[in-house]
Amino acid sequence: MNKEEFLSKRDAIDLTLKELNCEKEQLEKEYIESNQGFNVGSKVCITVPAHERFSLLSNERILVPEVKKLAYIAYYEIDDNGEVVPSLRQLDCNGGMSEMPLYVNLKKVIIELV
């Protein structure tokens, strides 16, 4: 194989990869749009139900009360299990969307539109 053959085959492979990546991005976008719960930019109430957790310091179970937090939906993404999950942002001091993410276990919370 000479240099020209190598370059032409490599360019053909790169073009195929680019086309497939564009197709994959479009597929993910359509999947997210059809499975998102609330619109991007929506203000939502996150309710973390009361639960028990184990304290390593005192070696006992602690009851954590129910917590409600306000947040904004910044965007949606697809997790490793193929589920569409929202990326949440905290509220800033003026009540707008902050750059600070809000980390919660999305499998154990209730998300409601405000």
Side-chain angles (χ1 to χ4, degrees):
M1 172 183 305
N2 61 26
K3 183 178 178 181
E4 289 79 22
E5 289 178 52
F6 166 74
L7 291 176
S8 67
K9 288 181 179 182
R10 184 187 68 181
D11 292 343
I13 291 171
D14 286 341
L15 181 61
T16 304
L17 287 173
K18 185 177 180 181
E19 291 171 355
L20 289 173
N21 281 332
C22 288
E23 188 177 331
K24 178 183 169 189
E25 288 176 12
Q26 183 64 29
L27 179 69
E28 289 175 350
K29 182 179 176 183
E30 290 175 11
Y31 179 61
I32 288 172
E33 286 176 356
S34 64
N35 289 293
Q36 65 185 13
F38 305 106
N39 292 332
V40 172
S42 298
K43 190 174 186 180
V44 293
C45 179
I46 309 297
T47 304
V48 181
H51 60 281
E52 285 187 350
R53 62 179 235 210
F54 187 75
S55 172
L56 295 175
L57 296 175
S58 60
N59 204 18
E60 62 184 20
R61 294 197 175 275
I62 299 172
L63 179 64
V64 180
E66 181 180 277
V67 177
K68 290 185 179 265
K69 299 177 184 181
L70 293 177
Y72 282 98
I73 296 178
Y75 58 90
Y76 285 92
E77 59 189 1
I78 300 172
D79 67 4
D80 294 335
N81 296 327
E83 299 291 326
V84 176
V85 294
S87 176
L88 302 171
R89 296 285 187 259
Q90 297 179 12
L91 273 66
D92 64 9
C93 59
N94 297 325
M97 187 186 309
S98 171
E99 290 296 318
M100 296 295 296
L102 178 65
Y103 298 107
V104 292
N105 184 349
L106 294 171
K107 297 195 185 310
K108 296 183 179 181
V109 299
I110 300 167
I111 301 176
E112 300 170 316
L113 193 60
V114 175

